[in-house]
Amino acid sequence: MKQLVLIKLLSAATIVCAADVPIRQDELVRRTQELYDSLVSGNQAPWEKYFADDCIFADEKGRLFDKPKLIADIAPLQAGYSGTIKVENAQSRIIGNTAILSYDADETETIFGQNLKPSYHITDTRLQRNGNWQIIASQAHRYHEDPAVGKADAKKFADFVGAYELAPGQTRSVTSEDDKLFVERNGKKEQLLLETSELCFRKKCRRQNSVRLCR
């Protein structure tokens, strides 16, 4: 009888341990990097392992995938294509059986001799079920680099100086100093660079953020 009770206690302890497996940010990053490293060869195994069967995956193009469609989309790079993706700037929130990892995915890609460096921001949500941490939801956004700076005619900057009303109670002031244009918003002054004669943008926004100036 005592031996039977001991066996039951050990079995119960095993079940509890299996249902409560902690995880750390460095392990989340390691698993995420493993996913991206597998893309070159089209290895689907890590994606099968780390994504839940009922997951939702939203890519940077706005497409939604369930797990079967996601796995089917993992294939070796085409001839003439090569590259790597590196997980950077990771932050996590791990609470109970939920782990959220938010990070940049910086890609170095070569397509028929042309080098590209697209970057993405991705947030993965993992749930721990039956002792396994798997991604239940993932969403990606692409960073857009600054457009090319156009040729500016500083003599015309005076035409742009003034206050612009974006909405009732929301104004922005544009000034010109030392042959440069600036916009002031919420007490912060930032330089405006001209993309075209009337289209400006703020430098290093990591996303397209142009404004049209006209008087």
Side-chain angles (χ1 to χ4, degrees):
M1 177 66 70
K2 290 182 178 180
Q3 185 177 7
L4 181 60
V5 171
L6 179 60
I7 291 173
K8 289 183 177 180
L9 288 174
L10 290 174
S11 298
T14 301
I15 293 173
V16 170
C17 290
D20 186 17
V21 180
I23 197 165
R24 296 166 55 93
Q25 177 174 303
D26 56 354
E27 177 60 17
L28 294 174
V29 172
R30 187 197 69 78
R31 295 184 184 190
T32 304
Q33 188 63 60
E34 183 181 345
L35 288 170
Y36 293 123
D37 290 344
S38 69
L39 290 177
V40 175
S41 63
N43 180 13
Q44 298 177 347
W47 298 78
E48 285 278 9
K49 179 180 180 181
Y50 294 134
F51 276 83
D53 290 341
D54 52 349
C55 71
I56 298 174
F57 182 92
D59 72 0
E60 72 282 0
K61 299 176 182 178
R63 301 178 300 176
L64 287 176
F65 296 80
D66 57 14
K67 187 170 182 177
K69 290 181 180 179
L70 174 62
I71 300 302
D73 198 55
I74 306 301
L77 294 180
Q78 304 175 37
Y81 285 65
S82 64
T84 60
I85 297 177
K86 181 68 175 177
V87 176
E88 302 282 3
N89 306 318
Q91 295 189 45
S92 66
R93 299 293 185 271
I94 303 172
I95 304 172
N97 68 338
T98 304
I100 299 172
L101 187 70
S102 192
Y103 56 93
D104 292 335
D106 292 338
E107 183 175 2
T108 300
E109 186 176 11
T110 301
I111 301 178
F112 299 108
Q114 298 187 41
N115 297 320
L116 304 175
K117 289 186 175 294
S119 294
Y120 310 88
H121 188 79
I122 301 170
T123 299
D124 297 333
T125 300
R126 286 173 170 81
L127 288 182
Q128 180 189 220
R129 294 185 291 196
N130 300 320
N132 295 320
W133 288 93
Q134 291 185 308
I135 297 173
I136 187 68
S138 179
Q139 184 159 18
H141 301 275
R142 179 166 181 174
Y143 288 126
H144 291 280
E145 299 302 323
D146 291 339
V149 179
K151 187 176 181 180
D153 185 355
K155 295 179 181 179
K156 297 182 178 180
F157 285 179
D159 295 337
F160 302 138
V161 172
Y164 293 79
E165 186 177 47
L166 307 182
Q170 291 291 323
T171 60
R172 300 290 185 266
S173 297
V174 174
T175 59
S176 176
E177 301 174 20
D178 300 325
D179 293 336
K180 296 179 182 178
L181 278 177
F182 295 89
V183 62
E184 185 174 328
R185 45 188 236 127
N186 301 324
K188 182 180 179 182
K189 185 187 292 185
E190 297 179 88
Q191 185 179 358
L192 288 174
L193 301 176
L194 264 70
E195 181 179 355
T196 67
S197 61
E198 293 183 345
L199 197 63
C200 301
F201 64 93
R202 292 181 292 123
K203 191 176 183 180
K204 294 184 179 179
C205 287
R206 296 208 75 176
R207 62 184 175 89
Q208 204 80 15
N209 192 12
S210 300
V211 57
R212 185 174 298 279
L213 297 178
C214 55
R215 302 298 292 167

